[in-house]
Amino acid sequence: MEIPKKLKEILGSRINKFTLKNDKRIYIEILARDLRETVSILFNKLKLRFVTATGTDEKDHVEIIYHFSFDKEGVLCSLRIRLDRKLPQINTISDIVKGSIWIEREIYEMLEIKFIGHEKSAPLLLDAMSQSKKYPLRRNE
Amino acid sequence: MNKNKNIMEFPLELKSTVFMSGGWFRLKVEREKITGFKIETGRNHRGIEKLSEDRHFNQIAILSARICSSCSVSNQFAYVRAIEELAGIEVSSRAEYIRTIAAEIERIREHFTWLGLVFYHLKRRMLYVFCRKNCNFISEICEKIFGNREQFDVIKIGGVRKDFLNDKEKILKEVAEESAKIIHQIYDIIRKDIQIKTRLKGIGVLSAKDGIDYCAVGPTARASGIDIDVRRDEPYSAYKFVEFEVPVGIEGDVYSRMLVRIAEIKEAVSIIEQCICKISSTSLEISSDVGEIPEGEGIGRHESSGGEVFHYIKSYGGTVPYRHKIRGASYMNMVSNEAIIKGYSIEDAAIILSSIDAYCGCVER
């Protein structure tokens, strides 16, 4: 149980809610304003691998979960961030983690979550020429 | 033609009905050197994550196998692991062995396909035919064991669909022995063939730093010295009960990727042989009772031939998931293409881009 203790110590007051689901799965809820700092600590300092990010349209908010992997220990640490459903936007992490370039583009076109500072906004999977402003994973679309 | 007369832009399509679902690229070339690169995505998007929202949990296991032809077992494996984590379902050891065997057969077949693809681009027809022949042999054996040549549909939530190995261990041993024999012969040829070595060494280099920055996975990452493998790092299924090595390269070039994959075939053969030996001592139970899937979230990972496959499930109870996130191995590896292609000659483009698994089916879902 060293990893949860280490994470609590290093992330300190940035943690809003800490959930240890089992030995291999940790969920940490943080505020959107702490994202870049937290990702920088996990990726650059703790040398975690960025796995992917999951965007979900919940009933009263939208959320993004950034999944990071402690590869040597086989533990996944998921950072959960809740965003306003009407105007969801968050800072990009694509300049810190190059591997997140595509997933941020995808989350924008699927869920209309804007990534502030992301260089490319062209759709990754949907038709770039389409005039339709529909976001497939939005529940009211 | 660009404003600068020396820069040309042209499309490159890696598509073959034999190999894969294809990849579409646009290269910017200046005096035969690649200076710019763009991947054209969006031609293979099927909206599988959206489709999952109104499919029964059991139906999604079948749907997951259709995400990508090269990692159908792997996607199914990762998906059911996510559900089993969410619902706390225990799986019998016989089912775990059958799952592992199916996953390793798929790994051997896909690595042979990958080798065939590289030989195809090298214009080495005999070696290409050699690899394809073994792929066909594996497919024929799979038809005898699982009933399907390509998509086995072996795995279901809580276990496997039926006892596929019932008295078929002998046929399975044939696959292992034949694959071991062929990979030994191929390795022997590659080791002695200076042309292959000089052609593949030093091209498409992905440095360890770039591999980490772009979050590369699987043999692509391991060939660059990044020692990751979910089967070893988060032991699951029958990987807990067998011994195997994780081959790691140093150079990060196409040749290094080739050697890593050859070594992985040898390890896969060893895993299958160990599973066959150990499966006889297990009980005959192959499936656990699956009740209603409760509210919660679960993550399933599996190391496919291309790298880590990731599935995330969120459920609010009922019969369908609220959210099903899928991330194939190629999704991370194709982003790293940007780092491995620039600066190389246009004649190397096809080999380099093929060497990191350009499976658009996996990427676009």
Side-chain angles (χ1 to χ4, degrees):
Chain A
M1 287 293 101
E2 272 183 9
I3 291 175
K5 203 177 158 190
K6 196 175 167 185
L7 282 170
K8 278 180 187 170
E9 257 176 39
I10 208 156
L11 297 179
S13 60
R14 292 179 197 91
I15 300 173
N16 255 8
K17 192 180 170 189
F18 191 96
T19 313
L20 186 66
K21 204 181 167 205
N22 58 43
D23 290 354
K24 301 284 182 188
R25 303 285 183 263
I26 299 165
Y27 291 87
I28 300 172
E29 200 172 309
I30 60 164
L31 294 175
R33 63 163 188 261
D34 294 328
L35 174 71
R36 284 178 60 84
E37 218 180 323
T38 311
V39 168
S40 184
I41 292 170
L42 297 184
F43 190 73
N44 296 327
K45 203 170 173 185
L46 296 180
K47 304 287 176 200
L48 302 198
R49 178 172 58 84
F50 174 72
V51 179
T52 193
T54 307
T56 311
D57 185 3
E58 293 288 349
K59 284 146 195 161
D60 51 354
H61 63 277
V62 288
E63 70 172 29
I64 304 182
I65 308 175
Y66 294 90
H67 306 277
F68 287 87
S69 173
F70 284 87
D71 283 321
K72 277 181 191 159
E73 295 83 0
V75 175
L76 270 179
C77 168
S78 302
L79 291 180
R80 191 192 306 274
I81 293 163
R82 289 163 184 255
L83 299 170
D84 178 15
R85 200 169 179 277
K86 283 181 186 157
L87 192 69
Q89 55 180 21
I90 192 165
N91 287 322
T92 180
I93 59 160
S94 59
D95 53 332
I96 306 168
V97 186
K98 282 181 187 171
S100 69
I101 294 171
W102 277 16
I103 190 64
E104 287 191 351
R105 279 170 67 188
E106 189 186 320
I107 290 175
Y108 173 69
E109 69 186 309
M110 293 292 169
L111 282 152
E112 204 193 354
I113 297 173
K114 198 178 171 193
F115 290 88
I116 304 162
H118 192 95
E119 284 176 9
K120 287 180 189 171
S121 59
L124 182 77
L125 304 176
L126 302 180
D127 184 5
M129 304 299 283
S130 170
Q131 298 297 312
S132 160
K133 286 281 176 200
K134 282 192 173 177
Y135 299 91
L137 294 181
R138 278 276 184 161
R139 287 282 169 166
N140 54 355
E141 295 293 334
Chain B
M1 185 76 85
N2 203 289
K3 280 177 187 174
N4 182 343
K5 281 182 182 172
N6 292 323
I7 300 176
M8 283 183 78
E9 219 180 275
F10 64 88
L12 173 70
E13 185 178 342
L14 291 180
K15 194 164 194 284
S16 161
T17 48
V18 181
F19 294 121
M20 52 168 70
S21 47
W24 293 269
F25 308 93
R26 192 162 281 275
L27 303 174
K28 206 177 261 183
V29 179
E30 188 178 359
R31 294 181 199 277
E32 290 198 10
K33 291 272 177 231
I34 301 162
T35 55
F37 170 76
K38 194 183 157 200
I39 305 170
E40 291 186 355
T41 50
R43 299 183 196 192
N44 215 343
H45 179 56
R46 288 147 288 152
I48 290 177
E49 289 182 13
K50 184 72 185 169
L51 280 173
S52 294
E53 286 178 4
D54 51 9
R55 295 289 188 283
H56 190 278
F57 285 107
N58 291 336
Q59 287 179 305
I60 300 169
I62 302 295
L63 189 64
S64 297
R66 270 88 189 146
I67 292 167
C68 175
S69 61
S70 73
C71 40
S72 62
V73 176
S74 304
N75 275 303
Q76 219 169 30
F77 208 156
Y79 167 72
V80 298
R81 285 199 65 217
I83 297 287
E84 284 157 8
E85 181 184 297
L86 194 165
I89 300 164
E90 291 288 326
V91 180
S92 74
S93 50
R94 188 169 183 86
E96 295 284 33
Y97 278 114
I98 295 173
R99 285 177 175 189
T100 305
I101 288 170
E104 291 308 307
I105 289 180
E106 184 182 72
R107 186 183 317 281
I108 295 174
R109 191 191 66 198
E110 289 314 312
H111 280 342
F112 271 114
T113 306
W114 185 94
L115 285 169
L117 186 64
V118 171
F119 294 135
Y120 176 83
H121 289 302
L122 281 173
K123 308 278 184 286
R124 303 300 292 262
R125 300 291 292 178
M126 273 312 293
L127 282 168
Y128 157 70
V129 171
F130 209 30
C131 292
R132 286 306 307 165
K133 212 178 140 191
N134 198 45
C135 287
N136 281 339
F137 171 70
I138 292 171
S139 295
E140 275 163 21
I141 297 285
C142 288
E143 196 177 4
K144 283 181 194 165
I145 299 172
F146 304 119
N148 289 329
R149 286 174 68 90
E150 295 294 321
Q151 292 178 329
F152 310 152
D153 283 333
V154 176
I155 301 170
K156 68 167 194 168
I157 299 168
V160 288
R161 281 199 300 114
K162 62 177 185 178
D163 198 346
F164 294 93
L165 297 185
N166 193 15
D167 294 333
K168 287 176 185 156
E169 283 89 346
K170 205 179 157 190
I171 310 173
L172 199 58
K173 266 184 186 169
E174 257 180 69
V175 179
E177 281 165 14
E178 187 66 14
S179 299
K181 205 173 89 186
I182 290 179
I183 203 61
H184 184 74
Q185 287 169 337
I186 289 177
Y187 181 63
D188 220 32
I189 294 167
I190 291 169
R191 209 160 42 89
K192 289 172 188 165
D193 195 322
I194 296 165
Q195 271 185 339
I196 292 179
K197 211 173 188 175
T198 44
R199 185 79 179 82
L200 298 181
K201 255 196 169 299
I203 63 163
V205 177
L206 179 73
S207 67
K209 188 190 174 300
D210 280 339
I212 291 167
D213 285 352
Y214 283 96
C215 314
V217 291
T220 308
R222 289 192 285 275
S224 300
I226 304 165
D227 189 7
I228 51 170
D229 191 321
V230 186
R231 294 175 297 167
R232 180 201 58 197
D233 302 335
E234 187 194 318
Y236 56 94
S237 202
Y239 295 112
K240 286 183 280 194
F241 314 124
V242 294
E243 286 176 12
F244 62 97
E245 294 284 319
V246 177
V248 178
I250 302 167
E251 288 89 356
D253 53 13
V254 180
Y255 190 71
S256 181
R257 273 168 227 145
M258 180 183 263
L259 295 184
V260 165
R261 283 178 190 256
I262 287 172
E264 280 187 15
I265 292 176
K266 291 177 186 170
E267 290 301 324
V269 168
S270 153
I271 292 172
I272 292 173
E273 284 171 346
Q274 290 179 60
C275 286
I276 296 169
C277 285
K278 291 184 179 182
I279 201 168
S280 51
S281 60
T282 58
S283 69
L284 291 174
E285 193 191 341
I286 53 156
S287 182
S288 316
D289 286 336
V290 182
E292 206 164 292
I293 307 296
E295 189 178 328
E297 47 196 339
I299 293 171
R301 299 196 284 173
H302 170 68
E303 190 75 21
S304 73
S305 61
E308 176 200 48
V309 173
F310 174 97
H311 283 239
Y312 165 86
I313 291 284
K314 185 166 203 169
S315 161
Y316 283 116
T319 54
V320 297
Y322 187 78
R323 178 82 172 94
H324 179 199
K325 166 76 191 164
I326 306 156
R327 199 227 65 205
S330 304
Y331 195 94
M332 302 314 279
N333 289 339
M334 272 179 83
V335 186
S336 70
N337 264 333
E338 210 173 81
I340 67 168
I341 192 79
K342 283 181 188 169
Y344 292 102
S345 167
I346 183 71
E347 64 181 6
D348 296 330
I351 297 175
I352 294 173
L353 293 173
S354 308
S355 74
I356 53 102
D357 286 318
Y359 291 111
C360 279
C362 210
V363 173
E364 299 182 16
R365 317 176 298 286

